[in-house]
Amino acid sequence: MKTNWGAAFQIAAVYVGTVVGAGFATGREIVEFFSRFGIFGLIGVFMAGYILTYLGAKLMRIAAAIGAQSYEEMNVHLFGKFFGRIINIMMLFMLLGVCAVMLSGAGAVFEEQLGLTKSLGIFITIALSLAVMVVGLKGVFAVNTFVVPMMILFSLILFFLSVRLPGFIEQVVFIPYAEDGWKAVIGPFSYTALNLSLAQAVLVPVAAEMKDDNTVKWGGILGGIALTLILISSHLTLIMLPGFETFEIPMAVVMKQLAAGLYWIFVLIVYGEIFTSVIGNIFGLERQIKKYIKLPSLLVVSLLFLICYFISLIDYGTLLSILYPVFGYISLIFIVLLWMKPVNVNK
């Protein structure tokens, strides 16, 4: 069966756009799971890249093979009916928590980079999101076709500028002291588990629509390779920033120091990535909740934003460092079962 390379690249773009959320774009997620562990973090990045490539492709191949229309169907296939439903309820809360992290990240952009209040940033993001939910989603998801390639380009620019800094090799091989150093071992697994379990909401229906196994497989592989390159370049950039753990949006600080002329464009791209992620999460939550409770969409979305707003008042870095690892550990069983499950493509 021939591979439709155009469609494969489209799937790869969707995969990258889904995983590159607020934590990824700001660099805070990469710091939490990898960069603060030095050379062990770099080893973790390569492991995470392999898992994202192999299991990302497998996730979509299984979805296409069973014709799953939603991540709920995928979880029932992996866990069985009883446990699948429990996992789906847990994912509802995880998506809510991630949406709160995204909102907090938007507030952090306004506070740390624009010198405005965090609350103002959150309110503006909620207002824009509500407006988009009324008008329609197509325009916002189209933003990703611009934001994702720009994000990759800026990551590579920062990487090449960082390589030229004095002491680069010393920083790459440096082993910092970390009280929770054991997390360097589990980090690649909890990180990929978190991202793959949440990415299901988008990847499963996309793969099921495509159907062709070869195309879906190569879309997953290409997307995984692209994510690995961004992870490596971001990690090697962040380790050159003194005190990178103290910043809410470390990638923007690096950009300000190394390429000040591109700084405001980069901040806009980071905010665009956060904004599209907020919309995607809220849209997914609203669709899931409406299966159980029959309420007007605008009311459901408004209630979701109200809950997310109160959670997002916690500092972005604190919120991400608590919620993301916890969600990652919860999701570990997901990638174990995904690894074990055969694809069973019908020839």
Side-chain angles (χ1 to χ4, degrees):
M1 194 179 285
K2 286 188 176 180
T3 302
N4 181 338
W5 289 105
F9 278 107
Q10 280 184 320
I11 291 170
V14 170
Y15 187 13
V16 175
T18 305
V19 174
V20 181
F24 205 123
T26 60
R28 186 68 221 185
E29 191 177 304
I30 297 165
V31 165
E32 183 58 36
F33 284 93
F34 305 109
S35 300
R36 64 196 186 92
F37 301 117
I39 185 66
F40 294 117
L42 181 60
I43 295 166
V45 163
F46 280 104
M47 287 176 66
Y50 171 75
I51 296 167
L52 284 170
T53 305
Y54 174 70
L55 286 187
K58 189 173 184 181
L59 169 72
M60 289 189 274
R61 290 181 71 200
I62 291 173
I66 66 171
Q69 295 302 310
S70 67
Y71 72 83
E72 287 102 326
E73 288 178 38
M74 185 69 177
N75 282 331
V76 167
H77 177 72
L78 288 175
F79 296 94
K81 280 189 177 180
F82 178 74
F83 288 108
R85 284 170 184 159
I86 293 171
I87 295 295
N88 286 333
I89 291 166
M90 286 170 67
M91 273 200 68
L92 188 73
F93 287 103
M94 284 169 64
L95 283 167
L96 197 63
V98 169
C99 191
V101 172
M102 302 286 180
L103 276 180
S104 190
V109 170
F110 277 72
E111 186 176 41
E112 190 175 272
Q113 306 305 317
L114 305 178
L116 301 169
T117 65
K118 179 180 177 177
S119 292
L120 178 66
I122 293 171
F123 280 127
I124 287 173
T125 306
I126 290 173
L128 288 172
S129 301
L130 285 171
V132 167
M133 296 300 279
V134 172
V135 174
L137 285 164
K138 286 183 181 177
V140 173
F141 288 125
V143 172
N144 259 333
T145 60
F146 168 76
V147 170
V148 170
M150 289 297 285
M151 197 78 228
I152 295 169
L153 176 64
F154 275 61
S155 295
L156 292 173
I157 289 170
L158 287 176
F159 167 65
F160 287 120
L161 292 172
S162 297
V163 168
R164 296 165 62 189
L165 293 172
F168 176 75
I169 299 298
E170 289 84 348
Q171 281 300 112
V172 170
V173 298
F174 180 64
I175 304 172
Y177 171 74
E179 286 184 3
D180 56 352
W182 59 272
K183 288 182 180 176
V185 177
I186 203 167
F189 303 101
S190 58
Y191 172 81
T192 49
L194 168 73
N195 280 293
L196 283 171
S197 62
L198 292 172
Q200 280 187 95
V202 177
L203 299 183
V204 167
V206 165
E209 193 177 310
M210 192 61 62
K211 294 184 179 69
D212 175 42
D213 180 62
N214 258 352
T215 302
V216 168
K217 180 179 79 174
W218 278 105
I221 291 170
L222 292 171
I225 291 169
L227 286 167
T228 306
L229 289 174
I230 303 171
L231 265 177
I232 294 167
S233 61
S234 297
H235 167 76
L236 294 175
T237 298
L238 287 165
I239 58 171
M240 295 307 293
L241 174 66
F244 57 76
E245 285 189 66
T246 61
F247 298 104
E248 300 279 333
I249 306 170
M251 287 300 280
V253 178
V254 175
M255 181 60 78
K256 200 170 193 175
Q257 291 181 0
L258 298 183
L262 299 172
Y263 170 71
W264 290 111
I265 302 169
F266 184 72
V267 169
L268 191 65
I269 288 167
V270 168
Y271 182 76
E273 190 59 66
I274 293 170
F275 181 68
T276 53
S277 299
V278 169
I279 293 289
N281 275 298
I282 286 289
F283 184 65
L285 279 165
E286 182 257 343
R287 276 195 300 182
Q288 195 178 349
I289 287 168
K290 282 191 77 175
K291 286 183 178 179
Y292 307 104
I293 306 167
K294 300 297 178 187
L295 288 171
S297 292
L298 197 58
L299 180 61
V300 173
V301 169
S302 299
L303 288 170
L304 287 170
F305 271 127
L306 187 65
I307 296 165
C308 289
Y309 168 72
F310 285 112
I311 304 171
S312 70
L313 293 175
I314 302 167
D315 280 345
Y316 169 59
T318 307
L319 200 60
L320 189 146
S321 64
I322 294 169
L323 289 184
Y324 274 30
V326 169
F327 291 161
Y329 301 146
I330 291 169
S331 304
L332 281 173
I333 186 94
F334 169 78
I335 63 164
V336 170
L337 287 173
L338 182 61
W339 204 295
M340 292 167 62
K341 204 81 173 179
V343 176
N344 291 335
V345 177
N346 296 317
K347 298 290 181 187

